[in-house]
Amino acid sequence: MIIAHLSDLHFDGGSRAEERVAAVMAYLGGLEPVDAVVVTGDIADHGAPEEYERAAALLKYPAPVLLCPGNHDVRAAFRTGLLDLPASDGPIDLAREVGGVLFALCDSTIPGRGAGFLADETLAWLDGVLSGGDGPAIVAFHHPPVAVGVPLVDAIRQSGGERLESVLKRHPRVKALLAGHVHTGASTTFAGVPLRIAPGVVSGSLLPGEPGGGRGWADGGPLDYDRPPGLLLHVLHDDGRVTSHHRVVPC
């Protein structure tokens, strides 16, 4: 199975974000179709209905496009604009099976805040859907549950990770965790499971020690708006391994 992984599109009513998303979707359109496209949050920049309208128009693909919200998204408008569901302020937790693989998309947002947290009801939901079979599963959310070396976003990562770890330990069927939020492609592990973080489509983040990234490694790195958009292509192998390939899209 091949999974395209995008994040942090930040539709804001302007042409720049739309052009970058269009370039990424055109790149995907030039490939032999992947099996699923996962977008790990911050679809909109302000959570406005018109931002989701444009996102819905551009995120068209022959395979399933699976979405979860980020801290810039607004739950009610996200539901009505992207999922064709009634407006609600509750967590947006969605499960879908594609090609024998369960995708569990969790809402890690805290309305009105930049940081992330999986609510008790989301963790109970995740435990339940993972208990429904023993085939491979992919869990996605916006906020990484561990620090990744970018202080600016590490300060607003997903907290309460020990609760998520307890769920994952009960379900070895989970082959990978997919996240966004950091605006840079990164790879690490959490609870013994590969954690893959997609680069930002709208911008890239700099490590503090990079040129333009701050005075030293302890400082917060700013966003680089000149960096071209990127995405990850994950290969889920028959033996359960996940190999991730980073692609940059000229724009």
Side-chain angles (χ1 to χ4, degrees), residues 159-176:
S159 61
E162 69 283 351
R163 299 155 55 253
L164 173 61
E165 181 175 8
S166 295
V167 173
L168 295 175
K169 292 294 187 183
R170 290 195 291 273
H171 301 286
R173 67 183 295 198
V174 178
K175 304 306 179 186

Side-chain angles (χ1 to χ4, degrees), residues 1-247:
M1 170 172 280
I2 310 295
I3 304 157
H5 179 193
L6 321 179
S7 199
D8 297 275
L9 315 184
H10 289 269
F11 282 90
D12 60 1
S15 61
R16 182 181 177 279
E18 291 195 16
E19 289 168 0
R20 291 168 78 91
V21 174
V24 171
M25 297 308 294
Y27 167 79
L28 290 177
L31 304 179
E32 181 177 333
V34 302
D35 298 288
V37 178
V38 177
V39 188
T40 49
D42 280 359
I43 314 298
D45 197 47
H46 310 99
E50 55 270 22
E51 293 171 350
Y52 295 116
E53 181 180 350
R54 293 303 301 148
L58 287 176
L59 293 174
K60 302 289 189 183
Y61 194 74
V65 177
L66 310 175
L67 310 167
C68 63
N71 52 287
H72 280 258
D73 291 306
V74 173
R75 289 172 172 175
F78 189 105
R79 275 191 167 89
T80 57
L82 294 177
L83 305 176
D84 197 25
L85 294 173
S88 168
D89 294 325
I92 302 171
D93 302 316
L94 302 167
R96 181 165 177 180
E97 188 167 302
V98 180
V101 177
L102 174 68
F103 289 83
L105 298 112
C106 303
D107 189 339
S108 64
T109 68
I110 306 171
R113 293 181 56 189
F117 184 80
L118 294 176
D120 289 344
E121 64 184 281
T122 293
L123 285 174
W125 169 86
L126 178 62
D127 198 22
V129 297
L130 291 175
S131 298
D134 57 6
I138 303 289
V139 176
F141 35 65
H142 183 63
H143 300 79
V146 290
V148 296
V150 181
L152 186 68
V153 289
D154 286 345
I156 53 172
R157 68 181 184 270
Q158 183 188 141
S159 61
E162 69 283 351
R163 299 155 55 253
L164 173 61
E165 181 175 8
S166 295
V167 173
L168 295 175
K169 292 294 187 183
R170 290 195 291 273
H171 301 286
R173 67 183 295 198
V174 178
K175 304 306 179 186
L177 308 171
L178 307 184
H181 191 50
V182 185
H183 288 236
T184 189
S187 178
T188 185
T189 58
F190 176 78
V193 180
L195 169 60
R196 304 292 188 251
I197 301 167
V201 170
V202 73
S203 63
S205 66
L206 296 171
L207 289 168
E210 291 185 287
R215 294 184 299 277
W217 290 104
D219 300 314
L223 295 177
D224 180 356
Y225 288 93
D226 294 326
R227 184 168 298 187
L231 72 154
L232 298 179
L233 295 173
H234 305 299
V235 182
L236 176 59
H237 300 276
D238 291 342
D239 62 4
R241 292 181 301 112
V242 175
T243 302
S244 300
H245 302 266
H246 188 173
R247 291 292 179 266

